[in-house]
Amino acid sequence: MTGKLRDIEASYSHIAGSYAEHFFDELRHKPFDRALLDVFADQVRPRSDGMGGPVLDVGCGPGQSARALRERGIDVTGLDLAPEMIAEAKRRLPDIPFRVGSMLALDDAPASYAGLVAFYAIVHFNREELTQACREFFRVLRPSGLALASFHLGNEVVHRNELFGKPVNLDFVCFERATVEGAFVAAGFRIEAYLERAPHTEIEHPTQRGYILARKPYSAG
């Protein structure tokens, strides 16, 4: 694990309890995000023709997206770098499997999942790390598998050395649309949709939000 990943792990483990209290119910206030999860769930839910199947929620935090997917009938597993964040998720959602791991080096076999969500999971990466994450997403998805990613739009990097009154060492990276789309395409994905929304300024950092739906081609090995 690189020094940067150790900083991310330590920072989120340090603030896991406060972070969970603040964000676990955030989707109640985000109708656009819930609607996108509805669209995603409809496409990855198992069907009689054999399509669909399990989903991986990377950078799952305390499990808010995993909970939403389970409520939509999806067989979901959550993964996060921070052990204390995973402990929070397991405590709050004992019926969903969660594990510690890095999206830059997933420990899943190729073609393990029908879908993958990464809600603000790429916000600490540089361009090279983003490209590596997309390659891992592509590897673990089945042919025709679907990825849904959200991110902050822009070109700035915001450093934080404190969150929830506790010390952290985190850089929050904003990406241009072309950068994120380019990383998914370079990994082999086909972009199916791009959407953008304004922030809910009363509960969110005041940045525009971008969402990408990307599919692994059916002919991919």
Side-chain angles (χ1 to χ4, degrees), residues 28-126:
R28 289 192 304 170
H29 311 290
K30 298 183 177 185
F32 187 88
D33 296 54
R34 295 197 307 270
L36 279 176
L37 287 168
D38 286 337
V39 170
F40 176 85
D42 284 345
Q43 296 192 63
V44 300
R45 190 175 288 113
R47 305 198 306 259
S48 59
D49 62 4
M51 301 300 289
V55 167
L56 182 64
D57 177 12
V58 300
C60 66
Q64 63 269 45
S65 298
R67 176 175 66 168
L69 289 169
R70 176 58 62 88
E71 290 171 349
R72 288 157 173 78
I74 304 303
D75 176 13
V76 60
T77 296
L79 177 139
D80 198 275
L81 189 64
E84 292 302 320
M85 200 68 82
I86 288 296
E88 283 287 338
K90 288 181 175 180
R91 180 175 68 82
R92 293 166 182 270
L93 300 164
D95 60 329
I96 297 177
F98 292 96
R99 70 178 193 270
V100 176
S102 170
M103 72 185 80
L104 299 181
L106 294 169
D107 56 3
D108 300 285
S112 292
Y113 298 101
L116 181 146
V117 294
F119 261 41
Y120 303 104
I122 61 174
V123 297
H124 303 299
F125 291 162
N126 60 34

Side-chain angles (χ1 to χ4, degrees), residues 173-184:
V173 181
C174 298
F175 288 111
E176 301 287 353
R177 169 184 175 177
T179 300
V180 180
E181 286 190 341
F184 274 90

Side-chain angles (χ1 to χ4, degrees), residues 146-198:
L146 189 66
L148 169 61
S150 61
F151 56 98
H152 298 270
L153 278 161
N155 51 27
E156 67 267 31
V157 178
V158 178
H159 180 76
R160 295 296 300 269
N161 54 26
E162 178 273 328
L163 283 174
F164 302 108
K166 297 179 180 179
V168 297
N169 184 19
L170 295 170
D171 285 332
F172 290 86
V173 181
C174 298
F175 288 111
E176 301 287 353
R177 169 184 175 177
T179 300
V180 180
E181 286 190 341
F184 274 90
V185 170
F189 285 97
R190 182 181 70 246
I191 305 299
E192 291 206 338
Y194 171 81
L195 300 102
E196 188 173 324
R197 72 164 172 85

